[in-house]
């Protein structure tokens, strides 16, 4: 394989826990909850899937949000509307916290690279393998890569909200291949979502899946990529 495309969330990086997310925003806004209240609120936020990159909703999506949810990654406005809509199902001390929570998840501080992310990206660069990032997302993730010193390894970022196309639509993967000037048949797509990331197979790309786990539980999930590219 001459090129590797990576998903972002759950593949190269992982979002903080829902409790850490809520705790950070309460501190930033100088609001407080008792520990039992905080624990309960975090549990409910997790259940409704309010944290982008966190748990998928374990409760049915409210009818009024369902149409937006299906296309949430096609624009910044839809992404915010979908996730703040889910968040607002959970009572918080101040309604403004729902937007503050959304804003927090877009900051580099809310993300951590997996332990082997830098190692694998660095090894691919040494081998002359081009790298792209293809993500269903509603905001610019480039500052996250810059914060962790990983931006130099990435030759192209193809983000759904910038193109109005979301995975598994093959056109998003084709855009990444065009940006890197490569034949899709020489590309390996690495991601954690079989449906979304599996869409690359329609172009003839190889596909490899990793487990969407907390950073501490997946120390070397990306290393098999180095064997696959030869």
């Amino acid at each position: 394989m001459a090129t590797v495309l990576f998903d972002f969330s759950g593949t190269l990086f992982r979002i903080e826990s829902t409790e850490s997310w809520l705790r950070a925003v309460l501190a930033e806004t100088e609001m407080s909850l008792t520990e039992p209240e905080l624990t309960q609120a975090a549990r409910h936020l997790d259940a409704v899937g309010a944290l982008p990159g966190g748990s998928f909703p374990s409760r049915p999506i409210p009818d009024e949000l369902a149409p937006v949810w299906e296309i949430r990654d096609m624009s910044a406005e839809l992404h915010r509307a979908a996730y703040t809509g889910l968040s607002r199902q959970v009572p918080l001390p101040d309604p403004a916290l729902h937007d503050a929570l959304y804003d927090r998840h877009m900051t580099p501080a809310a993300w951590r690279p997996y332990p082997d992310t830098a190692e694998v990206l660095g090894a691919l660069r040494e081998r002359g393998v081009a790298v792209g990032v293809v993500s269903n997302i509603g905001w610019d993730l480039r500052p996250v890569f810059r914060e962790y010193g990983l931006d130099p390894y990435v030759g192209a970022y193809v983000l759904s909200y910038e193109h109005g196309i979301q995975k598994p639509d093959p056109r998003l993967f084709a855009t990444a291949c065009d940006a890197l000037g490569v034949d899709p048949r020489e590309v390996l797509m690495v991601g954690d979502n079989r449906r979304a990331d599996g869409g690359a197979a329609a172009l003839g790309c190889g596909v490899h899946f990793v487990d969407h786990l907390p950073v501490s539980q997946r120390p070397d999930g990306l290393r098999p990529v180095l064997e696959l590219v030869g």
Side-chain angles (χ1 to χ4, degrees):
M1 297 293 178
T3 300
V4 181
L5 302 177
F6 288 97
D7 174 50
F8 168 58
S9 173
T11 300
L12 294 176
F13 283 80
R14 175 69 188 237
I15 192 72
E16 65 189 329
S17 71
T18 308
E19 183 174 320
S20 170
W21 178 52
L22 177 57
R23 196 179 294 277
V25 169
L26 289 170
E28 289 166 5
T29 56
E30 298 183 344
M31 297 186 194
S32 63
L33 290 170
T34 65
E35 280 300 308
E37 288 172 337
L38 189 149
T39 300
Q40 182 180 44
R43 185 169 65 250
H44 289 165
L45 287 166
D46 193 63
V48 301
L51 174 57
S55 299
F56 197 77
S58 60
R59 302 175 184 175
I61 302 293
D63 290 343
E64 66 273 16
L65 283 178
V68 174
W69 179 256
E70 290 301 316
I71 57 172
R72 63 192 180 279
D73 296 311
M74 294 182 71
S75 77
E77 294 77 17
L78 289 167
H79 196 268
R80 178 181 284 272
Y83 282 102
T84 57
L86 292 178
S87 176
R88 288 189 176 95
Q89 295 181 78
V90 180
L92 294 175
D94 186 326
L97 284 171
H98 299 289
D99 277 306
L101 284 167
Y102 185 85
D103 292 340
R104 161 75 185 182
H105 104 275
M106 295 188 289
T107 65
W111 296 88
R112 291 289 181 274
Y114 282 94
D116 55 348
T117 292
E119 171 194 339
V120 169
L121 293 181
L124 291 173
R125 183 177 186 178
E126 288 177 3
R127 296 181 188 184
V129 176
V131 167
V133 172
V134 183
S135 178
N136 277 354
I137 198 165
W139 50 276
D140 186 4
L141 52 72
R142 295 172 183 86
V144 178
F145 281 78
R146 290 196 289 268
E147 176 71 19
Y148 289 96
L150 300 175
D151 180 64
Y153 299 126
V154 181
Y157 296 93
V158 177
L159 312 181
S160 61
Y161 84 102
E162 292 182 337
H163 298 276
I165 305 168
Q166 62 186 30
K167 299 182 287 187
D169 192 321
R171 291 178 295 166
L172 200 64
F173 304 104
T175 298
C177 293
D178 290 345
L180 293 168
V182 295
D183 186 324
R185 293 168 295 182
E186 295 298 318
V187 171
L188 177 67
M189 176 66 206
V190 180
D192 67 299
N193 186 304
R194 291 183 178 274
R195 178 177 178 274
D197 299 311
L203 293 178
C205 300
V207 182
H208 175 71
F209 298 106
V210 295
D211 294 323
H212 187 121
L213 293 170
V215 166
S216 62
Q217 295 177 29
R218 211 193 75 192
D220 54 6
L222 290 169
R223 288 180 187 153
V225 171
L226 300 178
E227 300 174 10
L228 292 170
V229 299

